[in-house]
Amino acid sequence: MCRWANLATTAKATARPMPLHRLLLRKMALSAHQIPRWLNSIKLNGFISATQLRNCFQRPGKTWLHEFSAQPQLSSDNCFFQWGFKTYRTSSVWNNSSQSTNSSGQGINSPQSTMLPSVNEQSQETELSLEGLDHVPPLSPLQPVSEEEAIQILADPPLPPVTFTLRDYVDHSETLRKLVLLGVDLSKIEKHPDAANLLLRLDFEKDIKQILLFLKDLGIEDNQLGTFLTKNYAIFSEDLENLKTRVAYLQSKKFSKTDIAQMVRNAPFLLNFSVERLDNRLGFFQKELELNVKKTRDLVVRLPRLLTGSLEPVKENMKVYHLELGFKRNEIQHMITKIPKMLTANKRKLTETFDYVHNVMSIPHHIIVRFPQVFNTRLFKVKERHLFLTYLGRAQYDSAKPNYISLDKLVSMPDEIFCEEIAKASVQDFEKFLKTL
């Protein structure tokens, strides 16, 4: 039996058949010093196919070994073996088989050598003949490439080495791109030093999507998500179960779903606080202001920042109303339940407004308590209108006398209505008067 038959028999017994084109792709990863330089750049997937290999094997008048010894040339059928292995001998098996053939008096081109085995047997024989290549080191990553190869390389644009804006990362981050589509203003978020590190580490599907669905279920509309997340991007660092627990706590305190949605919109950081802190804040306002449960709940619904902001301004203003301005405890309760912002207003603004209304306009405490909106109005507006009414002789704020003007109308009406109904003058007259101030 010839050498090729022995090899085929051995391969059938010891190896699993492997398609020839896959075998060649795996075995051709040779280092530059072992095969010609030009062979490294060949894209094997582009021109190797089972049909082409079969055509090569079945070409009449030529043998497999003869093709391996052929000169490199291009033919119409683009046969892979015509690229040639003129000087390269793949293994000692081929050398031994050539020697045994020559010693037996049979040349390569003899009729017996043209009787090639089947394609499956060829793949088995090739596996045996190339098994010595398993220990060949891989190609070096520093191997130079030609200009044509370099043009075909597809690579993403590199990240900027140094940047001060998240805009440079939008093209590289799916999370940032989707946040921008939601209406998030990255120019405001990037002002916070920890924002970039947080957002660039997040995966949209795993870390962000569930939070967005939670906010929508809570009552945040699609057109409100961008504004909310711009202010409170840190909500993505919160555990979803903790967020649900805090909502459940507010519901246990009889806050309706509408109330909770309104509170979250007006105080975006509300859900970032633990249940313990929320409970302590509610207890503080109920005790400090001596309010019942319902009034306490109404107070924080109208001004939810009381639950998230500092308590120092609140404590300071309570002292100002009681000690400096002379209001009684029940009067303070009445004013802050009507105008909750009085608890967080600027201390200087409060004292200046009270001094002008009480000492200049001669309005007593009990009337100010009835119309606390005056503390929520700009002082220059109160001065301009009072001086204009004084000029017209209509500055009368005593409800027991005729032509009485309430503080509510004085500070809340637009200029046109104020001039027409209160001052009984035209807007042009009012504007001319203001130029004399």
Side-chain angles (χ1 to χ4, degrees):
M1 183 179 296
C2 67
R3 181 70 174 177
W4 290 106
N6 291 335
L7 291 175
T9 303
T10 303
K12 290 179 179 180
T14 61
R16 181 180 178 181
M18 181 182 295
L20 181 57
H21 66 282
R22 290 181 57 189
L23 179 66
L24 290 175
L25 286 174
R26 181 169 65 87
K27 297 297 184 180
M28 292 311 297
L30 304 176
S31 59
H33 67 277
Q34 291 171 316
I35 61 177
R37 168 68 182 84
W38 52 268
L39 186 58
N40 293 338
S41 63
I42 295 177
K43 305 296 184 296
L44 298 181
N45 289 333
F47 56 85
I48 295 180
S49 65
T51 303
Q52 292 171 330
L53 293 176
R54 189 179 296 108
N55 292 339
C56 290
F57 291 139
Q58 296 178 356
R59 293 175 65 184
K62 293 189 178 181
T63 66
W64 192 10
L65 295 178
H66 181 258
E67 290 295 337
F68 267 75
S69 64
Q71 294 291 339
Q73 57 183 344
L74 293 174
S75 64
S76 60
D77 56 0
N78 290 327
C79 177
F80 167 69
F81 295 105
Q82 288 183 350
W83 290 86
F85 292 90
K86 178 179 179 181
T87 61
Y88 180 69
R89 295 171 180 260
T90 57
S91 72
S92 61
V93 177
W94 286 358
N95 295 335
N96 294 336
S97 103
S98 299
Q99 292 175 1
S100 62
T101 304
N102 292 334
S103 63
S104 63
Q106 295 179 353
I108 294 177
N109 293 326
S110 65
Q112 293 180 358
S113 64
T114 59
M115 300 299 293
L116 293 177
S118 64
V119 175
N120 289 336
E121 293 177 350
Q122 292 171 3
S123 64
Q124 297 167 1
E125 294 162 1
T126 306
E127 181 176 4
L128 289 175
S129 63
L130 297 180
E131 63 183 0
L133 300 180
D134 288 338
H135 303 292
V136 175
L139 290 174
S140 170
L142 301 179
Q143 181 72 25
V145 297
S146 65
E147 293 184 1
E148 294 181 356
E149 293 173 328
I151 293 175
Q152 297 176 4
I153 295 176
L154 299 178
D156 295 330
L159 288 171
V162 178
T163 183
F164 298 96
T165 176
L166 286 173
R167 181 180 57 186
D168 295 334
Y169 291 93
V170 172
D171 292 337
H172 305 272
S173 172
E174 179 187 8
T175 297
L176 292 182
R177 289 197 299 271
K178 291 186 176 180
L179 288 178
V180 170
L181 293 177
L182 287 173
V184 178
D185 190 346
L186 297 181
S187 65
K188 294 182 179 179
I189 292 180
E190 66 191 14
K191 296 178 182 178
H192 303 276
D194 59 332
N197 292 331
L198 172 63
L199 296 181
L200 291 175
R201 290 198 307 265
L202 296 177
D203 180 82
F204 188 86
E205 293 294 329
K206 183 175 65 175
D207 303 317
I208 294 181
K209 185 176 181 180
Q210 296 301 320
I211 300 293
L212 296 178
L213 294 176
F214 166 77
L215 293 175
K216 286 180 62 65
D217 291 340
L218 198 62
I220 307 298
E221 301 295 336
D222 292 345
N223 58 354
Q224 298 170 338
L225 284 173
T227 302
F228 177 88
L229 296 176
T230 300
K231 295 179 180 179
N232 185 18
Y233 63 90
I235 196 172
F236 295 129
S237 63
E238 296 287 338
D239 183 75
L240 182 59
E241 294 303 320
N242 289 339
L243 297 176
K244 293 180 179 179
T245 301
R246 294 159 192 171
V247 172
Y249 166 76
L250 294 175
Q251 292 174 341
S252 70
K253 295 299 181 181
K254 307 303 180 182
F255 289 93
S256 66
K257 185 176 181 180
T258 303
D259 292 338
I260 296 175
Q262 178 180 337
M263 293 167 65
V264 171
R265 282 194 296 267
N266 295 332
F269 291 96
L270 178 65
L271 295 181
N272 293 55
F273 295 102
S274 65
V275 170
E276 292 77 9
R277 177 166 181 172
L278 295 175
D279 188 68
N280 291 336
R281 287 298 179 90
L282 289 173
F284 168 81
F285 290 109
Q286 184 176 356
K287 180 180 178 180
E288 187 71 18
L289 304 179
E290 299 180 358
L291 301 175
N292 58 32
V293 175
K294 183 179 184 305
K295 288 186 177 180
T296 303
R297 183 167 54 245
D298 294 340
L299 179 69
V300 296
V301 169
R302 295 179 60 189
L303 191 63
R305 289 180 296 170
L306 294 174
L307 299 178
T308 61
S310 173
L311 293 178
E312 293 304 318
V314 176
K315 296 177 180 179
E316 184 68 20
N317 286 348
M318 292 295 294
K319 293 179 181 179
V320 170
Y321 293 131
H322 183 62
L323 300 177
E324 296 186 23
L325 306 185
F327 290 100
K328 299 176 182 179
R329 178 69 64 175
N330 61 336
E331 293 176 335
I332 298 174
Q333 291 177 353
H334 178 78
M335 289 190 296
I336 63 176
T337 52
K338 293 189 67 174
I339 310 294
K341 288 184 179 180
M342 289 179 61
L343 287 172
T344 58
N346 181 268
K347 176 183 175 181
R348 180 179 177 180
K349 179 180 182 297
L350 290 175
T351 54
E352 289 180 349
T353 301
F354 177 81
D355 179 67
Y356 190 84
V357 173
H358 181 67
N359 298 322
V360 177
M361 299 174 61
S362 301
I363 298 179
H365 282 76
H366 70 277
I367 295 181
I368 297 176
V369 171
R370 290 175 56 193
F371 305 105
Q373 296 89 343
V374 69
F375 289 107
N376 200 32
T377 306
R378 295 177 181 177
L379 182 57
F380 76 88
K381 182 177 181 180
V382 177
K383 289 182 178 181
E384 290 176 348
R385 294 189 175 187
H386 170 69
L387 292 175
F388 186 56
L389 292 175
T390 301
Y391 172 76
L392 297 175
R394 302 183 63 84
Q396 207 288 99
Y397 309 108
D398 188 351
S399 59
K401 297 180 181 181
N403 299 323
Y404 163 69
I405 298 175
S406 69
L407 280 178
D408 183 30
K409 293 182 178 180
L410 179 69
V411 300
S412 62
M413 289 183 173
D415 287 345
E416 295 79 5
I417 299 178
F418 166 76
C419 293
E420 180 180 353
E421 297 184 4
I422 304 300
K424 307 298 182 180
S426 64
V427 177
Q428 291 76 15
D429 293 336
F430 181 52
E431 292 176 349
K432 290 179 181 179
F433 173 78
L434 294 180
K435 293 179 181 178
T436 64
L437 298 178

